[in-house]
Amino acid sequence: MVDSAHLSLHVPEPAVRPGGQPDFSNVKIAKAGSVPRPEVDVASEDIRDLAYSIIRVLNRDGEAVGPWAGSLSDEELLTGLRNMMKLRAFDARMLMAQRQGKTSFYMQHLGEEAVSCAFRKALNKGDMNFPTYRQAGLLIADDYPMVEMMNQIYSNESDPLHGRQLPIMYSSKEHGFFTISGNLATQYVQAVGWAMASAIKNDSRIAAAWIGDGSTAESDFHSALVFASTYKAPVILNIVNNQWAISTFQGIARGGSGTFAARGLGFGIPALRVDGNDYLAVHAVARWAAERARRNLGPTLIEHVTYRVGAHSTSDDPSAYRPKTESEAWPLGDPVLRLKKHLIVKGVWSEERHVQAEAEIMDEVIEAQRQAEAHGTLHAGGRPSVRDIFEGVYAEMPAHIRRQRQKAGY
Amino acid sequence: MARMTMIEAVRSAMDVSMAKDDNVVVFGEDVGYFGGVFRCTQGLQAKYGRTRCFDTPISESGIVGTAIGMAAYGLKPCVEIQFADYMYPAYDQLTQEAARIRYRSNGDFTCPIVVRMPTGGGIFGGQTHSQSPEALFTHVCGLKVIVPSNPYDAKGLLIAAIEDPDPVMYLEPKRLYNGPFDGHHERPVTPWSKHDLGEVPDGHYTIPIGKAEVRREGSAVTVIAYGTMVHVALAAAEDAGIDAEVIDLRSLLPLDLDTIVKSVTKTGRCVVVHEATLTSGFGAEVVSLVQEHCFYHLEAPVVRVAGWDTPYPHAQEWDYFPGPGRVGRALAEVMEA
Ligand SMILES: Cc1ncc(C[n+]2csc(CCOP(=O)(O)OP(=O)(O)O)c2C)c(N)n1
C-alpha cells in the first residue's frame, strides 16, 4: 500500500525577488551557430530538440556564425538596425508624452525590438499579422508613418481610429496589422482562421499569430494549436517569452513543460526556440517558418526568448516584484547593441555613424511628434467628434443609435 | 474604526474572512506576491501563505473552473478577474456550471464562490477596461450579483458574499476605488478619507445581500442607481435642486423590490440610471418591475439614463459616461410630464 502522506500544493515562485541577486545561470543558452538548420519539409518529430534549444546567430564577438547565418545582406541589416533604433526612440518619446499627460497610457518594447522588426522582414506584402500590444515594430519595419501611430496614441482629430481604441491598439489592413484587441489570446485563433481561409481560396498569403508567454495559458491559445495542426494552416504561431506577465513570472504559465515551444510538440507542430535579442536569428527562423507555410507544409511555432526590460505598461511598477538589476543580468544582451556591434565588426558601421544616426532618428521622431501634436493630444487641441462614438457600430446606423446620437446633441 | 478607501475595504473583507475561516482562499492574475493590479489583495500572501493567496496563469476559465472544483471540495474561493472585461472566457464555467450545480445535483454539490472584478469606466481604459457587464450575470439564475458604492458597504457585502452558500458576482466600480466620484470629471475627486462612508469597522460585520439603501430621502421623484451612478444621481439631484429620493440598489440579484415599490409609490415618478449600455441593460428589468408594481401610482413614464449603445470609446469617454447633466435632463423630463 502506498503511504498516503499529507498532500501539499505546489505554487511556482521565481528564483529571486526585489532585493535579491538576479541569477540566470540556470537558463541554458546554446552557443551561437550550434543549432542545426533542418530542411523546411522536415517532420516535426525529427526536430524535437529545437523546441528545447535556442537558435542563435550572433556570437559574443559580434560575428554571424552557423547554419542560420546569411539570410540578410548588409543593406538589409543596416535597415534592421535603423528600424530597431526608431522603435526605441519612438518609445522614449511616447513614454514621455504619457508622463506629460498627453495620452492616457503607453506600452514600450524596450529590449524586445528585434522580435517584431526582424520578423516583419520575413513576410510579404499581403500577409497578415494578428499582433498583441508589443509588436509595433511590425508597423515601423513596414514603414507605416509614425505620425499616424502618434495620432492614434493621442486620440486626436486625425486618429485613424477616431479615438475609439486605447493608445497603441493600432490597426492597418494595408500594412498587414489586424486591429488589436485588449482581450488576450483571442486573436491567436483568429490568425489560424485567416490562414485557413487563404488555403481554402488557394491564395499565397500567410498569417502570423502573436502571443505573450503569460497569455499562452488562455484556452484560445490551445484552440489555435488544435485548428492549426488539424488543418495544417499556413500560419506562424509566435510566442514572445519576455519572462514576465505583468508581475507574474513565466513559470506560472509554463508549469511543468520544459519550454513554451514544447507545447507545439503534442500537436505535431514543428516548434523552434530562437534568441529574440538576435536580429539575424529571428529573421532566419521567421523566414524558415514562412517558407514552410508558403510551401503548404503547415504551421510552425516559434518561441522568441527575450526579456522585457521596461515596465509592463505605464500603469506598472516592476521594482515591486523583480530585482531592479535583473534586466542587466539577462544573458542575451541588448538587440540594438548586438546588431550594432555586428555591423561594426563587418566594417559597414561605426560608433560615430551610430551616434549620428541616433540623433537623426530622434529628430525624425520629434518632427513626427510635432506634426501629430498639431492635430491635438488626448486632453488638448483637436479631438475626434462625439459623433464618432455612434458611427461604425454597424455598417448602417440603426434607428435606436441615431436617436441616442441626437439625444447626445449630435 | 478607520477611514478606508474602497480598495482597503475590499482587502480588509478578505483579510477578516481568511482569518476567520481557513477554507477561504484567494487567487487570480497577479494577486499573490504583487497584490493585484489595483492592490486589493496586497499583503494577503505574506500573511496567509502561498497556498491561500496565489497567482494564477492568465486563464479566466481556469480560475473560475478550479474555484468551482475547490468549492465542491469544501473550500471557499474568492477569486479575482483582473478586469470585468476579461470575464467572458470564463462565462461558460460561470453560467452553465457554477450557477447550476446546486440545482442539478439537488443540493448534493454546491458552489460557494465569489468572483470579484473591477468594472465601469471613467479612467480612460478604452473598450476593454471599462465595461459594466452586470446584466450578463443578472440574466443567469443561480448567481447573486452585488455592486457596492462605498467602502463601508464594500466590506460588509464582500464578507457576506464570502459567507454566502451560493456563487456571488462582486462588481467593484473602479472609479470609486479612491473616492466618491460625482460625475463632474473636471472636479478633483473627494477622497474616501473625507467621507462618512469611508468610515469602516476593523473587524467582522456583514451587510445583507438583497437589501437596497435609501441614500437621500425625497418626495418628488425616485432615482434608482447602483455603483458609481449613485454618486452621479446624488450630484444631479443636488445640481437640479429637485427633492429626489435616491436609492442605491447595492444588490441587483436578488433585488430589493420592496424598497423600490415603497419609494415610487410615494413619489409617483422614477428615473433609473446605469453606466452600462442601454439596450437590454439592467435598467430594463427595473423599469418593468416598477410599471408592474407601481402602475397606478405613476404620474410620468419611467425614464432610463445609461451608456450609449456603442462600445466604450477611449477619447470621448466623458460623453459616454452618464453624468449629472444627463441625469438632470431626465429628472426635468419626468418632473414636467
Ligand atoms: C483575457 C484577458 N485577461 C487578462 C488581461 C489583463 N492583462 C493584460 S496584459 C497581461 C499580461 C500579459 O502577459 P504576457 O502574455 O506574458 O505578455 P507581455 O505583456 O509580457 O508581453 C494581463 C494579465 C487581458 N488583457 N485579457
Side-chain angles (χ1 to χ4, degrees):
Chain A
M1 212 177 93
V2 183
D3 179 21
S4 47
H6 295 297
L7 302 169
S8 67
L9 184 69
H10 167 70
V11 181
E13 269 291 297
V16 275
R17 284 300 192 183
Q21 196 59 39
D23 178 15
F24 286 109
S25 57
N26 59 335
V27 183
K28 281 201 212 68
I29 308 240
K31 252 179 79 150
S34 67
V35 178
R37 183 182 188 282
E39 293 302 320
V40 291
D41 59 357
V42 68
S44 69
E45 55 272 23
D46 294 341
I47 55 164
R48 295 179 69 88
D49 287 355
L50 297 196
Y52 295 95
S53 191
I54 298 186
I55 295 166
R56 302 176 62 227
V57 171
L58 290 174
N59 69 13
R60 285 194 186 288
D61 299 324
E63 297 153 342
V65 295
W68 292 89
S71 72
L72 289 160
S73 67
D74 289 351
E75 206 48 54
E76 288 169 324
L77 288 172
L78 286 165
T79 305
L81 180 65
R82 212 178 168 83
N83 286 335
M84 289 199 287
M85 291 167 73
K86 226 180 185 178
L87 179 55
R88 191 165 285 188
F90 182 90
D91 269 351
R93 294 299 295 187
M94 291 297 98
L95 197 64
M96 206 197 307
Q98 192 275 340
R99 298 276 183 250
Q100 292 166 340
K102 292 174 180 173
T103 187
S104 58
F105 177 81
Y106 190 71
M107 290 181 105
Q108 49 171 341
H109 306 74
L110 195 61
E112 299 179 42
E113 292 89 347
V115 174
S116 51
C117 288
F119 189 91
R120 185 64 187 86
K121 292 297 187 187
L123 296 182
N124 292 344
K125 188 124 207 97
D127 294 340
M128 187 62 74
N129 284 286
F130 288 73
T132 76
Y133 42 71
R134 232 184 285 281
Q135 280 89 42
L138 295 171
L139 288 172
I140 297 268
D142 200 47
D143 296 322
Y144 182 79
M146 278 191 293
V147 181
E148 291 293 291
M149 294 169 75
M150 290 172 176
N151 287 337
Q152 199 283 322
I153 289 167
Y154 289 140
S155 282
N156 63 22
E157 65 190 10
S158 298
D159 171 4
L161 309 178
H162 300 286
R164 293 179 188 141
Q165 268 280 54
L166 205 61
I168 64 110
M169 299 217 168
Y170 317 104
S171 172
S172 172
K173 190 171 182 178
E174 192 197 335
H175 290 268
F177 196 96
F178 193 77
T179 160
I180 295 183
S181 169
N183 295 52
L184 296 171
T186 49
Q187 307 200 299
Y188 216 65
V189 61
Q190 296 163 11
V192 175
W194 196 99
M196 286 168 65
S198 184
I200 289 170
K201 300 305 262 181
N202 306 122
D203 196 348
S204 60
R205 295 177 292 163
I206 64 170
W210 293 90
I211 204 164
D213 47 285
S215 309
T216 59
E218 291 283 8
S219 316
D220 282 341
F221 169 78
H222 303 270
S223 307
L225 262 58
V226 169
F227 276 70
S229 153
T230 298
Y231 298 105
K232 288 197 180 302
V235 62
I236 306 174
L237 302 162
N238 293 289
I239 300 171
V240 181
N241 176 3
N242 64 6
Q243 312 303 317
W244 290 93
I246 311 188
S247 76
T248 307
F249 87 118
Q250 47 87 24
I252 284 281
R254 182 170 46 77
S257 133
T259 65
F260 287 97
R263 300 234 154 128
L265 297 181
F267 292 91
I269 298 175
L272 298 81
R273 286 179 99 213
V274 63
D275 177 347
N277 290 15
D278 179 340
Y279 188 93
L280 286 81
V282 171
H283 181 266
V285 169
R287 196 149 102 169
W288 188 88
E291 192 184 331
R292 271 182 50 78
R294 279 189 223 292
R295 285 180 46 187
N296 214 29
L297 295 163
T300 306
L301 189 145
I302 303 174
E303 176 183 344
H304 303 259
V305 182
T306 182
Y307 186 87
R308 191 196 83 214
V309 177
H312 169 74
S313 73
T314 46
S315 315
D316 174 41
D317 171 19
S319 70
Y321 52 81
R322 66 185 190 189
K324 279 201 173 78
T325 51
E326 193 180 83
S327 66
E328 290 151 38
W330 178 244
L332 293 175
D334 176 303
V336 175
L337 297 183
R338 283 176 69 192
L339 184 54
K340 170 189 162 196
K341 182 168 179 182
H342 173 61
L343 290 166
I344 291 175
V345 166
K346 278 193 112 179
V348 294
W349 196 239
S350 66
E351 289 290 353
E352 299 71 54
R353 283 167 76 182
H354 194 82
V355 172
Q356 196 190 338
E358 253 171 358
E360 279 167 24
I361 288 167
M362 194 45 99
D363 284 350
E364 199 187 326
V365 174
I366 290 171
E367 172 55 21
Q369 190 178 7
R370 199 190 54 73
Q371 286 177 32
E373 287 181 12
H375 297 289
T377 61
L378 181 60
H379 300 297
R383 51 193 309 255
S385 163
V386 173
R387 216 184 154 83
D388 285 322
I389 301 179
F390 300 92
E391 306 282 343
V393 182
Y394 299 96
E396 210 169 306
M397 189 181 292
H400 71 285
I401 297 188
R402 179 162 299 113
R403 278 195 296 274
Q404 291 184 15
R405 190 188 71 196
Q406 281 157 2
K407 202 164 181 181
Y410 292 85
Chain B
M1 201 130 78
R3 297 268 174 158
M4 290 184 192
T5 63
M6 201 192 271
I7 292 171
E8 289 161 343
V10 163
R11 185 189 304 147
S12 171
M14 286 185 273
D15 189 359
V16 166
S17 304
M18 291 174 93
K20 183 163 177 261
D21 179 355
D22 62 15
N23 286 319
V24 177
V25 289
V26 167
F27 55 97
E29 294 157 19
D30 297 292
V31 308
Y33 184 85
F34 190 53
V37 291
F38 287 102
R39 301 333 218 12
C40 290
T41 57
Q42 195 170 32
L44 297 180
Q45 183 175 74
K47 190 161 172 188
Y48 297 101
R50 268 196 273 161
T51 57
R52 289 192 62 203
C53 175
F54 52 90
D55 289 329
T56 64
I58 305 171
S59 174
E60 291 74 15
S61 168
I63 294 168
V64 175
T66 52
I68 293 171
M70 289 184 201
Y73 176 88
L75 297 189
K76 293 192 136 273
C78 174
V79 303
E80 176 174 306
I81 299 295
Q82 201 157 75
F83 281 86
D85 316 60
Y86 306 135
M87 190 57 218
Y88 306 111
Y91 201 60
D92 185 45
Q93 285 291 344
L94 193 75
T95 59
Q96 318 288 312
E97 306 300 327
R100 295 195 190 155
I101 281 169
R102 174 186 296 280
Y103 189 76
R104 73 188 193 206
S105 72
N106 196 28
D108 205 5
F109 295 100
T110 61
C111 191
I113 66 173
V114 177
V115 184
R116 295 179 35 242
M117 66 196 92
T119 57
I123 58 152
F124 285 102
Q127 297 172 20
T128 55
H129 298 83
S130 307
Q131 292 167 38
S132 299
E134 59 273 14
L136 295 175
F137 307 135
T138 56
H139 195 57
V140 180
C141 26
L143 300 180
K144 294 185 179 178
V145 182
I146 291 173
V147 188
S149 70
N150 59 69
Y152 179 81
D153 284 0
K155 178 170 173 182
L157 285 165
L158 183 52
I159 297 177
I162 293 171
E163 292 173 359
D164 194 277
D166 286 307
V168 182
M169 307 303 289
Y170 186 87
L171 281 58
E172 298 165 11
K174 58 176 118 44
R175 198 66 185 78
L176 300 181
Y177 270 157
N178 294 307
F181 175 68
D182 68 3
H184 292 286
H185 55 86
E186 61 283 6
R187 281 192 212 159
V189 173
T190 346
W192 283 116
S193 59
K194 298 218 168 77
H195 195 285
D196 287 350
L197 292 167
E199 190 112 333
V200 177
D202 293 324
H204 179 280
Y205 69 96
T206 57
I207 290 178
I209 296 173
K211 285 264 170 291
E213 179 85 355
V214 176
R215 294 280 169 220
R216 182 189 203 267
E217 304 225 355
S219 57
V221 51
T222 301
V223 185
I224 300 174
Y226 51 92
T228 310
M229 289 302 131
V230 170
H231 304 274
V232 172
L234 290 169
E238 227 42 73
D239 289 0
I242 291 177
D243 184 23
E245 180 143 302
V246 177
I247 296 178
D248 176 355
L249 292 177
R250 302 200 290 202
S251 170
L252 309 189
L253 185 66
L255 184 68
D256 184 354
L257 186 58
D258 292 347
T259 299
I260 295 173
V261 171
K262 196 167 146 223
S263 177
V264 180
T265 306
K266 175 175 75 175
T267 61
R269 298 172 202 269
C270 181
V271 171
V272 183
V273 191
H274 61 62
E275 195 185 327
T277 291
L278 181 80
T279 299
S280 298
F282 188 69
E285 178 65 26
V286 176
V287 173
S288 69
L289 285 168
V290 165
Q291 84 83 29
E292 200 176 320
H293 293 270
C294 312
F295 185 76
Y296 295 106
H297 298 274
L298 285 176
E299 287 168 41
V302 185
V303 169
R304 286 177 291 167
V305 182
W308 309 117
D309 283 338
T310 75
Y312 217 108
H314 170 250
Q316 309 94 328
E317 73 166 14
W318 296 121
D319 301 290
Y320 185 94
F321 199 86
R326 241 144 91 188
V327 178
R329 282 193 289 282
L331 286 173
E333 194 182 321
V334 296
M335 292 310 293
E336 276 160 25

